[in-house]
Amino acid sequence: MSMTRIEIYRKKGRVVGYKATGHSGYAEYGEDIVCAALSMALQLPLGGMQDVLDIYPKFEIDSDGYLSVDMRGMDNKGKEKELDTLLESMVLMIKSLSKDYPKNIKLVEKEEK
């Protein structure tokens, strides 16, 4: 059985990056509601940062379930509060999904020094 692993990186409590690898394996490709919900939760903050807040993190994405977003060193343009709101909302959604689908999603949060 496959699983999606989500890693959230924090520094002083604030989200500074996140990464997703793998497929949830909940259902067939195109019908996987867990994968769709996760993709939405992970990509919404990325779109919000770029299209709404006009700030640009480093990111990589591919069709094999890989997404990496790195905000370390990014110019937040004084929009830390808005950025934190986007990211903490994403974390809440992922926590909820990982509770509902523990066999399909593994969430790991790491505090950096």
Side-chain angles (χ1 to χ4, degrees):
M1 163 126 90
S2 57
M3 174 181 274
T4 300
R5 179 181 170 91
I6 314 279
E7 294 178 16
I8 307 286
Y9 306 104
R10 292 181 179 274
K11 189 159 187 158
K12 296 180 183 162
R14 294 186 66 223
V15 176
V16 294
Y18 58 96
K19 182 164 74 173
T21 50
H23 289 288
S24 70
Y26 180 76
E28 292 297 313
Y29 181 78
E31 296 176 10
D32 193 330
I33 58 167
V34 176
C35 180
L38 260 182
S39 293
M40 178 71 182
L42 292 162
Q43 290 182 42
L44 184 74
L46 187 55
M49 280 182 251
Q50 296 175 85
D51 299 338
V52 179
L53 300 177
D54 196 35
I55 52 181
Y56 299 90
K58 289 179 277 202
F59 71 95
E60 284 180 60
I61 190 167
D62 72 23
S63 58
D64 283 328
Y66 178 81
L67 171 66
S68 174
V69 179
D70 182 357
M71 291 153 293
R72 297 171 197 90
M74 176 180 78
D75 179 4
N76 294 335
K77 298 184 179 175
K79 298 175 182 171
E80 285 78 11
K81 190 175 175 187
E82 294 90 337
L83 184 59
D84 288 347
T85 300
L86 269 177
L87 295 167
E88 293 303 336
S89 298
M90 172 193 76
V91 173
L92 277 176
M93 187 74 183
I94 294 167
K95 281 182 179 172
S96 175
L97 286 166
S98 67
K99 278 188 194 127
D100 292 346
Y101 301 96
K103 293 180 178 141
N104 307 99
I105 302 167
K106 176 157 179 65
L107 173 62
V108 179
E109 294 196 60
K110 299 177 177 183
E111 180 69 32
E112 298 182 345
K113 295 184 177 172

